[in-house]
Structures are given as structure tokens and as C-alpha cells.
């Protein structure tokens, strides 16, 4: 019996544009027909396995939310439809639900529940037909010239995503795993996160995510909405590592968020971004090819037609991304350059009907049919047609039979998220040893590297690949095929689902570790009361990012009159000691705060000054070390646009806030590593990583040692520290355990509390001042 690790989630709530069934009414009888598509096939295979003995612990139940093609009554929609398995249907592909209204589930013990979302036709035409298919689909498949940018379609897209969100709000339970699928619902994770901050949300994209240069073509507010919406998920999955990296680069460049190779911090949450290549139910396809009587019958029909000719096949949905015309042109070029194969091969080209009511697709269909007719007329005879063209859908048995007897699988999409046909073909090669020709632009190419990989736009390359496939020795074909079969047998659709599930469970644990403690009104009131009631209190304030917002030009980040007046009011009470502790140099702090009754600590603790006093230096004044490192800092400044060097008395600082986020982070990492290697054997210099800065300074001091020294010389019964930077972590670490430490921003910190934004600092200070006045 297969061992399955029990899940922490009681239900999986699958959300996609379509329900896995379309509802067909005939009189008082209603039937359900399974919808086409890779997602439905994958979840169908998963649901079948869930009904096996010993497998039910994977999930207790699957709820599928999607658009219904039937105008169900409110009562029906509320009660939904419950069935046992997506595959529980007669051979015709139709599942009978029962007579009369769908008010009673036909399968009382079913694990599957369908929840329809009603979308008006006028909205759907703009949402699905407009934004999804006329903008996102072409752009994400690298056809930017075909993308239509219409604000009205985007508004419908937003509206439709909100309809899904409203439906989910009524059915979601605390222990659900909400699994959102594909480009139709980019905004939904964000909407759900607003409604359910603690929800477990996954998002999987089944099409390619384009490179940054393509994605940025989308209007700014659309693309920002898409990225922010996706980041509402906890786990974001793609088919390949390339797609995940393209997404992270767009997040970094367009939203300015700091990313790692597989994660990003978004609104205080740790979001994981990774590749999860979808698999197939290998045993289902392989077993049918070996043992199914229906498949054997279909195979005999095909073989009797072939009469010992070798068969090349392709199966695609009608779409410009599939490279259909290119494929036909390449096959014609093959016949021209390899005439020895004339009358010895047949190319069975199956095109599955799709969107042929749209003019562009109708024209594409006519073009394909004209090309096929021309080639058959040019090369064909009374006994032989080089291309057998079928514009139809195939049954499962017909499909497996075609896979099984084909000598060559010709899968050449111009761009494809994964392409499961390639994997299905490999799984069905049980007697012959066929050869897979696969586009390097298909996501499956990263897994099926033993296939003959080709550029789908190069007819010469495709023609050469066909010849190679037809002449490849049996031993070579066997070795290559067995390697691919082993891989897709080991990583199936069940492995895919389980991998995502276990990744999500691990992620939830990591999120708990990284969780930030946002300050609530109750916490704020308690801090205010502690401050007001204390006889001697100290408040440590960082400058940039805390007292004032960041500026692209540091010299312009100056305190305005309201900020200066607040500091004066705060420091006016003799019980209060205000300490401004900053990485700024002493000249800047003198310029703006010399007349304010505050203590100043400059350059991370290198200099200290009491109100009305003189600066004292806490470090060795020798600066000769700078000459060896200034050229290195300058080299990085020359290469990284927007970066600059700031020289202080005690340090060299490289700023990259004005640089493109991805470029700045890359060069910052390289600079840190280079100078760390140079100072590794010394104990006089230290590399400091701040907010968009890399700083090299003398060792033996930091904000923490400066703060500790300050409090050691005084007696305080209330200490508050506010800061936003990594350098401020040293302050939190050095202060007494009962100190109130506050991190600005929603990133993880050893501080006890987090304030959401820098704007909240002024409000907190003002509340302390007002409370002081009332108590005084």
C-alpha cells in the first residue's frame, strides 16, 4: 500500500477559471461533462488516487471553485454539487447527475464539491475573452505585438477576480489550503489576503512567466496589480526555474522588493517562489498502452492504414503559440531535402478545436488547411498522403494508441508553459522505441533533455531533427527513451501535488519563525502608559527611515519644522532623554540638531555629543586604510548606474538606492564579498550591510555598543528604541530586556514590535508628548 503523509490541511480548495465539469441540461435531466485542459487532467488524476485505500489522508476533501457554464439557481449554487471522482463517468465522458434540479448530491460519500461562480456574459467577454486572451496570453507567450491594452478589459478582470473572492469568502474554512490556478486569477490571492490575513494560499501559473523586458510592456498600474496580487499567496509555483526567476526579477525591478533566489518579503510575509514542474499519471498512460483492449483496437486501425510506413504525430490545440504553420513548413522542407522518405512516412497532425469563432483563429485554421492541401497535392499520390490532418478532439483510447504506434513525436510549440503531450508520448512508448522531437521553448524541455531539442522557428533544424529521429539506431533510442521514462515515472502528477503540499507545510512553519509582531492599539497604549509613568525615560531614535523618510539624494533628507518641533516638545520634559543615533556624519547632525535638546551619536557610534557640549571621538582617528579601498568602491560605482560613494570620517559607504534594484543588489553582494575577503585576516575593519548601503568601517564600535555605553552611564526605568535599519538590530540586542524595541517596517527583527510604516513614527511620538502633557 502506498504511504501518504497526513496533511495539516483538511480541505484543498482549488480555484480556477473553469469548473472541471460543464453542466448540460436535457429536459429535466442534467448531466456533467468533464472539461478539457491540463489542470483538470492533473487534478482528476489526483482525485482518483485520493479515493484509493490508504490515500484519503492526503486531503479530506477537494472543493473546486470556478465559473459555471450553466445559470444555476441560487439554491443550487449554495448547495453545490458533490461527486466522488473527476474520472467517475461512463465511456461517453458524460456523468449523469440525476433527474430534476441539482439540489441533492448524487454521491453522498463524495470527496469532491463543485462551487460555481456566476459571471455575466458581458463581463466575461471582456474579462476572459479580452484581458486574459487578448492581453495576457499573447504577452506571456512572447507575442507582444498581438497584445491588446484596453482599460475596459482590465476593469472587467478586476471585477471578475472580486467575484471569485466574494464567493470564496463564504466557503473558506480556517484549515483550508486555497490553491489558485493560472493567469485568469492573478489578483485573487491579494484580495483573499486582505480578507483572511492568516489564510494558507498557493498560486500556480500554468503558462510561462515572461522575462522582465516583456512583462514591463504591460501598463504600470496593471503590472503592479498583477505582481502585488500574486504576492498575496504564501507559495507561488511555476513550471520551470526560468519562469520563477523572471517573476522575481520583475518583483525586484518594478516593486523594489528585495528578493533571494527563491523568496521575497512582501508586507511582512515570507513568500516562497519555486519551480514545480507538473507531471502526468504515468501508470495510467503506460498501463493503457500495455493492457487496454480499447487501445489495442485503435492501434490496429492505425497500423492497417499505415501499411508499414513510419508515423510522425503531433497533437495541439489551435493556437498561434503552438507553431503549427512553422511545423508544416518544416515538414515540407524535410520532404524537399530528404526525398528518400517520400511514401515511407506519414505525418498525422491533430489540431484540437479552440476559439475558432474568433477571426484570427479562423484565419489560422484556413492557413493550416491550405498548407496541408498544397503539400498533399504537391507530394501525394493516389495511394499516399504525406499529411493526415484531423481537426477534432481524440478520445483517451485514440490518443494513447496514436502515441504508442508513432515512431516520432513532433512537439514544436513556439512557447509553452510545460506541454504534457511530450510526457504522455514518452509514457506510451511500450513496444516500439519512438523518438521525441521537442521545442526548446517548451517547459518540458528542461526535464526531457534526452529528446532532440530544436528551435521551433528554424525549419532546417526541424527537418534535420526529423531525419535524425527516423534513422537513430535502436540502442540509442532505447537508452534515451528509458531515461526519460524513468524520470517522468518517478515524478508524476502526484509527486507534483505532494511536493507543493509539503513545501507549503514547511513554509508555514518558516513563516511562523519569521513572523513580525505588528503594534496594535492595545500595545501602543501600554507603551504610552509605561513611558508616562516612568520617572526617568530614554528614547533612542534612528534618523533615515525612522525620523524622516528615505530620499534618493541623502543630502535632501532633512527634517522639516514639524519634525524639529516634535523633538523639541519631546525633549522639553526633564524626565525625558532623547538620543538621536544615526549613521550620518557629525557635521550633518550639527547642522540640523545643534539647537535641539537631544544627545547626538554620529557614524554608528564613532562620535558622541551631549546637548550644548562638544563632540567626543570613540575610535582611532587613523584614516590611512581608506586609500586601499576607495578604488574598489569607485570601480563598483563606475559599473552600477545610480550608485555613489559617501566618505565619512570613520567609514566608506557605497549607496545603491538609486540603482535598478536587481543590479544594485547584485553589485552590493559582490562588493561585500570582495571587501570581506580582503579584511578577513584583519581585526581593524568591518563590513556593515545597511538599507541599500554597503559600509566599511573600523571595528570595535557600532550603534549597539554606543547605546549600551550611554545607558550604562544613566539610570532609566523606561527605554524606547525605534529604528528601521539592520544596523539598528545592534541597539535592540544591547538594551536591557525590559526595553521597548520597535522596528519600522514589516520585516523580521529581534525588536519586540513592528510599526507598519515610517509615517507611524510621528504619530507615536506625538502620542507620547500628548500623554506627558495630560499627566503633567
Amino acid at each position: 500500500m502506498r504511504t501518504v503523509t497526513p496533511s495539516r490541511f483538511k480541505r484543498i480548495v482549488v480555484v480556477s477559471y473553469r469548473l472541471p465539469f460543464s453542466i448540460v441540461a436535457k429536459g429535466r435531466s442534467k448531466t456533467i461533462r468533464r472539461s478539457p485542459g491540463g489542470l483538470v487532467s492533473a487534478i482528476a488524476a489526483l482525485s482518483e488516487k485520493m479515493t484509493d485505500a490508504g490515500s484519503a489522508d492526503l486531503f479530506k476533501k477537494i472543493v473546486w471553485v470556478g465559473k459555471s457554464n450553466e445559470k444555476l439557481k441560487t439554491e443550487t449554487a449554495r448547495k453545490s454539487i458533490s461527486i466522488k471522482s473527476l474520472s467517475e463517468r461512463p465511456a461517453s465522458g458524460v456523468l449523469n447527475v440525476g433527474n430534476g434540479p441539482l439540489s441533492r448530491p448524487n454521491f453522498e460519500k463524495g470527496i469532491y464539491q463543485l462551487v460555481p461562480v456566476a459571471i455575466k456574459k458581458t463581463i466575461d467577454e471582456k474579462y476572459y475573452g479580452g484581458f486574459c486572451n487578448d492581453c495576457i496570453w499573447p504577452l506571456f507567450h512572447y507575442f507582444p505585438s498581438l497584445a491588446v491594452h484596453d482599460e475596459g478589459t482590465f476593469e472587467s478582470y478586476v471585477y471578475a477576480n472580486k467575484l471569485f473572492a466574494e464567493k470564496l469568502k463564504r466557503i473558506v474554512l480556517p484549515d483550508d489550503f486555497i490553491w489558485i490556478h493560472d493567469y485568469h486569477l492573478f489578483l485573487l490571492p491579494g484580495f483573499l489576503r486582505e480578507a483572511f490575513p492568516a489564510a494558507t494560499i498557493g498560486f500556480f501559473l500554468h503558462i510561462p512567466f515572461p522575462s522582465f523586458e516583456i512583462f514591463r510592456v504591460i501598463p504600470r498600474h496593471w503590472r503592479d496589480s498583477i505582481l502585488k496580487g500574486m504576492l498575496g499567496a504564501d507559495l507561488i509555483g511555476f513550471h520551470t526555474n526560468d519562469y520563477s526567476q523572471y517573476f522575481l526579477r520583475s518583483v525586484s525591478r518594478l516593486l523594489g522588493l528585495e528578493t533571494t533566489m527563491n523568496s521575497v518579503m512582501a508586507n511582512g510575509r515570507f513568500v516562497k517562489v519555486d519551480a514545480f514542474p507538473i507531471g502526468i499519471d504515468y501508470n495510467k498512460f503506460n498501463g493503457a498502452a500495455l493492457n487496454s483492449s480499447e487501445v489495442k483496437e485503435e492501434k490496429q486501425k492505425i497500423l492497417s492504414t499505415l501499411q508499414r510506413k513510419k508515423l510522425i504525430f503531433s497533437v495541439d490545440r489551435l493556437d498561434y503559440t503552438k507553431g503549427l504553420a512553422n511545423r508544416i513548413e518544416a515538414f515540407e522542407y524535410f520532404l524537399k531535402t530528404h526525398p528518400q522518405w517520400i511514401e515511407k512516412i506519414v505525418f498525422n497532425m491533430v489540431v484540437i478545436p479552440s476559439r475558432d469563432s474568433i477571426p484570427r483563429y479562423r484565419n489560422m485554421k484556413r492557413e493550416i488547411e491550405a498548407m496541408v492541401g498544397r503539400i498533399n497535392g504537391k507530394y501525394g499520390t493516389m495511394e499516399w498522403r504525406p499529411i493526415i490532418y484531423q481537426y477534432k478532439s481524440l478520445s483517451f483510447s485514440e490518443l494513447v494508441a496514436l502515441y504508442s504506434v508513432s515512431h516520432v513525436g513532433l512537439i514544436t510549440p513556439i512557447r509553452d508553459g510545460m506541454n504534457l503531450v511530450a510526457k504522455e508520448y514518452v509514457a506510451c512508448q511500450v513496444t516500439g522505441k519512438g523518438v521525441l522531437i521537442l521545442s526548446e521553448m517548451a517547459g518540458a524541455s528542461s526535464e526531457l533533455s534526452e529528446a532532440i531539442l530544436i528551435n521551433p522557428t528554424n525549419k532546417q533544424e526541424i527537418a534535420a531533427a526529423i531525419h535524425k529521429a527516423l534513422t537513430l539506431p535502436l540502442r540509442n533510442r532505447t537508452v534515451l527513451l528509458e531515461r526519460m521514462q524513468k524520470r517522468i515515472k518517478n515524478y508524476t502528477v502526484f509527486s507534483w501535488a505532494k511536493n507543493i503540499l509539503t513545501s507549503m507545510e514547511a513554509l508555514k512553519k518558516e513563516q511562523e519563525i519569521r513572523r513580525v509582531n505588528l503594534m496594535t492599539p492595545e500595545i501602543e497604549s501600554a507603551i504610552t502608559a509605561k513611558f508616562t509613568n516612568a520617572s526617568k525615560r530614554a528614547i533612542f531614535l534612528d534618523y533615515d527611515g525612522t525620523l524622516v523618510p528615505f530620499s534618493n539624494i541623502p543630502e535632501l533628507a532633512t527634517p522639516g519644522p514639524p519634525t524639529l518641533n516634535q523633538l523639541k516638545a519631546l525633549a522639553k520634559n526633564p524626565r525625558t532623554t532623547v538620543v538621536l543615533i544615526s549613521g550620518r556624519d557629525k557635521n550633518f547632525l550639527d547642522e540640523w540638531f545643534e539647537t535641539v535638546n537631544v544627545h547626538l551619536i554620529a557614524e554608528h557610534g564613532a562620535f558622541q555629543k551631549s546637548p550644548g557640549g562638544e563632540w567626543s571621538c570613540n575610535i582611532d582617528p587613523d584614516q590611512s586604510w581608506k586609500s586601499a579601498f576607495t578604488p574598489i568602491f569607485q570601480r563598483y560605482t563606475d559599473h552600477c548606474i545610480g550608485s555613489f560613494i559617501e566618505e565619512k570620517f570613520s567609514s566608506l559607504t557605497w549607496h545603491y538606492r538609486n540603482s535598478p534594484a536587481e543590479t544594485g543588489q547584485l553589485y552590493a553582494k559582490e562588493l561585500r564579498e570582495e571587501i570581506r575577503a580582503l579584511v578577513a585576516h584583519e581585526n581593524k575593519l568591518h563590513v556593515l550591510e545597511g538599507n541599500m548601503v554597503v559600509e566599511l568601517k573600523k571595528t570595535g564600535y557600532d550603534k549597539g555598543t554606543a547605546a549600551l555605553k550611554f545607558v550604562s552611564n544613566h539610570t532609566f526605568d523606561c527605554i524606547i528604541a525605534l529604528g528601521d535599519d539592520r544596523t539598528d538590530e545592534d541597539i535592540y540586542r544591547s538594551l536591557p530586556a525590559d526595553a521597548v524595541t520597535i522596528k519600522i517596517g514589516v520585516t523580521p527583527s529581534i525588536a519586540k514590535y513592528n510599526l507598519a510604516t515610517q509615517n507611524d513614527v510621528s504619530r507615536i511620538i506625538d502620542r507620547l508628548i500628548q500623554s506627558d502633557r495630560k499627566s503633567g
Side-chain angles (χ1 to χ4, degrees), residues 133-150 210-219 222 320-321 360 414-415:
N133 287 331
D134 291 342
C135 178
I136 295 297
W137 181 266
L139 200 67
F140 279 47
H141 286 85
Y142 291 77
F143 288 86
S145 62
L146 300 182
V148 178
H149 298 149
D150 184 321
S211 66
F212 168 70
E213 288 73 18
I214 293 291
F215 184 72
R216 72 190 302 185
V217 171
I218 301 175
W222 297 6
Y320 51 83
T321 65
R360 180 186 297 160
I414 294 176
R415 189 73 61 165

Side-chain angles (χ1 to χ4, degrees), residues 34 39-49 64 85-87 112:
R34 184 171 132 184
L39 172 61
V40 175
S41 299
I43 303 298
L46 182 62
S47 69
E48 287 177 37
K49 195 64 69 174
W64 196 312
S85 167
L86 281 172
S87 297
Y112 226 99

Side-chain angles (χ1 to χ4, degrees), residues 296-358:
K296 289 179 181 177
E297 184 180 336
E298 293 296 334
K299 286 168 65 174
Q300 287 303 316
K301 292 179 184 178
I302 298 172
L303 292 172
S304 64
T305 303
L306 285 176
Q307 298 179 349
R308 303 177 66 87
K309 297 179 182 69
K310 291 193 173 185
L311 180 62
I312 302 170
F313 93 95
S314 72
V315 176
D316 300 274
R317 184 170 58 84
L318 179 66
D319 197 272
Y320 51 83
T321 65
K322 302 301 181 181
L324 302 176
N326 298 61
R327 189 179 309 159
I328 297 171
E329 186 180 348
F331 182 71
E332 180 182 18
Y333 185 79
F334 166 76
L335 294 176
K336 177 182 177 181
T337 54
H338 297 84
Q340 68 271 28
W341 287 104
I342 290 178
E343 297 191 41
K344 296 180 181 178
I345 59 168
V346 172
F347 177 25
N348 187 186
M349 185 176 189
V350 180
V351 178
I352 299 170
S354 173
R355 302 188 74 196
D356 49 12
S357 61
I358 297 173

Side-chain angles (χ1 to χ4, degrees), residues 592-644:
W592 292 100
F593 302 103
E594 189 172 20
T595 61
V596 183
N597 186 33
V598 297
H599 294 260
L600 301 176
I601 297 177
E603 297 193 28
H604 302 293
F607 298 92
Q608 184 172 331
K609 179 182 179 181
S610 298
E614 298 294 329
W615 286 102
S616 61
C617 182
N618 301 321
I619 61 170
D620 180 357
D622 177 44
Q623 301 184 62
S624 60
W625 60 271
K626 291 182 182 177
S627 60
F629 292 93
T630 299
I632 299 174
F633 277 61
Q634 187 59 51
R635 173 158 43 88
Y636 281 87
T637 302
D638 293 340
H639 283 82
C640 186
I641 297 172
S643 65
F644 62 92

Side-chain angles (χ1 to χ4, degrees), residues 679-686 698-700:
V679 303
H681 303 295
E682 300 182 20
N683 58 3
K684 295 181 179 180
L685 297 174
H686 174 65
K698 289 284 189 77
T699 58

